[in-house]
Amino acid sequence: MKVRILVTSAWPYLSVTPHLGNLVGSLLSADVFARFCRLRGEDVVMVSGSDEHGTPIEVEAIRLGVSPSELANTNHARLLELLEKWGIVFDNFTRTENPTHKQFVKEHLTKVYDNGYIFTQETEMLYCQECRRFLPDRFVEGKCPYCGYERARGDQCEACGRLLETTLLVDPHCAICGDKPVVRKTKHWYFDLPKFSDQITAYLEKNKRLPANARNFSLNFVKEGLKPRAVTRDISYGIPAPFPGAEGKTIYVWVEAVLGYVSATIEYFKDHENPEAWKDYWFDKKARTFYFIGKDNIPFHTIILPALLLASGYDYNLPWNVSATEWLQFKGEKASKSQKVGIWMHEALELFPADYWRYFLMATRPETKDSNFSWEIFTERINADLNDTFGNFVHRTLTFINTQFGGEIPAPQPLDADSQAILKSLEEKVETIAKQLENCEIQPAVATIISIARTGNQYLNEKEPWKLIKTDRAKAADIFNVATQYVKALAITSAPVIPFSAEVIWKTLNLPGSVHKQEWKEALKPLPGNHKIGKPKPLFHKIDANEKELEEKLQEARKRLAQAG
Ligand SMILES: [Zn+2]
Ligand SMILES: [Zn+2]
C-alpha cells in the first residue's frame, strides 16, 4: 500500500537569490527526501513557491527603483532556472501571487475570523516621517532586546531566532532611509494564538518524530506563553485582508506563506483528473506531511501553522515531521548579503557542478549542530569522499570489466564466503540508508552511502583481482560480479543526493530507463551475467586549486555575474 507523502520546503523570499545556507535545510533537503520517497514507490507530491509578498521584496524594490511585481517576476523566473540547474524538482513550485493561493488564504482566514479567533487591536507601530509610511517587519532594523544582536529585523532576530515586534527593537532605524522612526497608533487584526496553547502542547508532546531541536524549541516557546500574532500589515503588495473594516490592510506574509503549503497542493491538482485529490494529502489520516526548513522557521511550522489549521475547524493533518537544520556558517560567520559573506546558488555553479555542492551540503548537513563551509573543508570532502572513494571505486570497477572482460559483467558463480559476506554487508547498508532517510537523517545517510564505496574499495584492495586474473580467472570474475552489484547499489542509493552522477552510472551500466524511475529495491538486484556495459568516464575531478585560488575564482565569478546582470 502506497503512502501519500507531501514534501514541502520553506518558501524562499524572492527579494534575494538564496545562498547555500538558505538552500541546505529547505529546498535541497526537501528534494533529496522527495527523491528518496519516489524511489520507494510512495505517492509523493512536493510543493513550495516563491514568497513574493511582504516587506523584504518591497524594501528591495524601493531600493532598486522598480515595482515589487516587476522585481518578483524577474526573480521568480531566475529562481526556477536555478532550481532546474541544481536538480531540485518540485511538482509545483508556485508563487504567492497565484490566484488559487490568494483565494485560499482569503477563504481560510475568513473561516478563522468567523470561528472567533481573530480580533482587532489598536497598536503602536513605528512610522518613518521621512518615507511617510509605517515600518512593519523588515522595514526597520535595530538591536535585539533579548540577545543584543545589532542588526535584528523588525519581525525576528536572526541571531537568537526570537520573534519580535518592531517596537521592541532598541535604537530602531528605517531600513529604507536610515531615519529614526516615531511611534504612531494604527489598528490591526490579530490571530488569537494563546487559545491554542493546550492543543499545540499536546501535539508537540505526542509527536516524537520531530527532531530534538524543533521539539525543544517549540515546547519552550509555548511554555514562555503564546502571544496573539498580527495577521495584517500596513503595506501595499500582498493579499488584501478579508475582514470587515480592514480596507487598505494586507495579510501578514508569514500567515500566508505557511498557508501556501495547502494552496500549492490545491493548485497542483487543479489540472488533474480529480481536482479534489489535494484533500487526500491534507485530511486523510494515513497521509504524511514533511516540512524542510532552517531553524529560524521552527515556530511558524510547529506552532503557527498547526494553530491556523486547527482554527479553521476542519480536520487538517498537522505536520508529521518538521526537519529543521541548524546554521551553515561560512568560515565561522553567518552568511550576510550586505557583508558579502557566503556563496549564492548561482555563483556556486560557476565553480563546480551541482552534484559537488549537493554532495557537500548533504554530507555536512547541520542536523544537530552548526556546520561550517571553508574551501579547505569543501576540497577535503570532494576529494576524499566523492572523488577518491566513490568515483574511484565506480571507475576502477567498470574500467576493469571493460579491459578484462570485454565490457561484459562476469556471469555469477557460486560465491565464496568472503563474497557472500560482502554482499550481506551491502544489504545491511542499503537498509540503513533507507531507515536514516525515512527519519530525515540525511547527513548520516550520506555517510553510509560513502561507506558502501569504501567497503567496495577495501574489498578490491584485499582481493587484488588484477593479480588474480592471471592465475584464477573465475575467481577474479566473481569479485567483479560482486563489485558491479556494489556499483549498481551506489547508483540507486546516491540518486537522491547526486542525481546527475547517479544517472551517468546508470547509463554506463547500460540499464534501461532513468535511475530516478527505478524502485529502491532495485539497488540489491544483481546485474545479469554477460550483460554488456558502456565505457566509463571519470565521474568527478579532483580539486587541485588551493584556498586562495578558489576564493579568487569565486570573486571572478561574482564579478562576471554582476556584469551580466
Ligand atoms: Zn536576538
Ligand atoms: Zn524612512
Side-chain angles (χ1 to χ4, degrees), residues 143-149 152 156-162 164:
K143 197 163 151 183
C144 171
Y146 299 105
C147 75
Y149 178 62
Q156 188 171 31
C157 172
E158 274 188 298
C160 69
R162 281 203 168 77
L164 300 175

Side-chain angles (χ1 to χ4, degrees), residues 235-420:
I235 58 169
S236 51
Y237 190 50
I239 303 178
F243 318 119
E247 292 76 22
K249 309 271 175 184
T250 51
I251 295 300
Y252 182 24
V253 67
W254 266 113
V255 178
E256 58 145 317
V258 292
L259 291 176
Y261 296 126
V262 185
S263 70
T265 320
I266 297 174
E267 191 189 41
Y268 173 66
F269 282 104
K270 275 212 152 144
D271 306 330
H272 282 64
E273 212 174 301
N274 176 13
E276 296 292 299
W278 71 272
K279 291 180 179 163
D280 297 340
Y281 293 82
W282 282 99
F283 297 108
D284 181 343
K285 296 303 157 211
K286 287 200 275 313
R288 298 170 181 184
T289 50
F290 289 82
Y291 298 80
F292 288 87
I293 61 171
K295 73 169 168 188
D296 51 335
N297 272 336
I298 292 172
F300 296 101
H301 293 79
T302 56
I303 292 163
I304 296 177
L305 172 64
L308 279 168
L309 296 175
L310 289 166
S312 71
Y314 300 124
D315 192 18
Y316 277 99
N317 288 340
L318 302 188
W320 175 266
N321 204 348
V322 177
S323 178
T325 46
E326 301 290 305
W327 304 128
L328 164 63
Q329 299 198 322
F330 289 87
K331 301 169 190 167
E333 283 181 77
K334 202 171 151 39
S336 151
K337 196 190 176 207
S338 54
Q339 314 294 315
K340 293 205 166 55
V341 175
I343 298 177
W344 278 260
M345 263 178 105
H346 57 315
E347 299 173 347
L349 297 184
E350 296 281 312
L351 275 77
F352 295 103
D355 275 358
Y356 287 46
W357 294 105
R358 289 180 64 112
Y359 174 75
F360 172 79
L361 291 170
M362 292 299 98
T364 61
R365 186 174 184 257
E367 286 176 18
T368 52
K369 55 183 194 317
D370 291 353
S371 66
N372 193 22
F373 172 90
S374 74
W375 286 117
E376 201 189 341
I377 302 171
F378 179 78
T379 305
E380 161 72 19
R381 298 310 294 254
I382 297 304
N383 286 355
D385 301 352
L386 209 49
N387 188 70
D388 296 352
T389 305
F390 188 107
N392 179 37
F393 171 69
V394 172
H395 194 70
R396 69 198 287 206
T397 301
L398 302 186
T399 302
F400 203 88
I401 287 168
N402 269 285
T403 54
Q404 299 297 328
F405 297 99
E408 282 180 13
I409 306 290
Q413 313 289 330
L415 297 172
D416 65 14
D418 279 6
S419 299
Q420 280 175 23

Side-chain angles (χ1 to χ4, degrees), residues 32-49:
V32 171
F33 181 73
R35 282 176 179 277
F36 163 70
C37 294
R38 290 184 201 115
L39 286 172
R40 294 283 274 181
E42 311 297 13
D43 201 339
V44 183
V45 172
M46 172 153 124
V47 299
S48 183

Side-chain angles (χ1 to χ4, degrees), residues 128-133 135 174-179:
C128 178
Q129 289 169 311
E130 177 67 28
C131 300
R132 296 182 186 205
R133 65 187 308 158
L135 301 178
C174 170
I176 305 294
C177 73
D179 247 30

Side-chain angles (χ1 to χ4, degrees), residues 137 142-146 152-158 160 162-169 229 233 252:
D137 311 322
K143 197 163 151 183
C144 171
Y146 299 105
R153 306 175 319 227
D155 52 349
Q156 188 171 31
C157 172
E158 274 188 298
C160 69
R162 281 203 168 77
L163 301 181
L164 300 175
E165 292 293 337
T166 52
T167 47
L168 293 175
L169 291 173
R229 296 283 300 163
R233 280 297 185 251
Y252 182 24

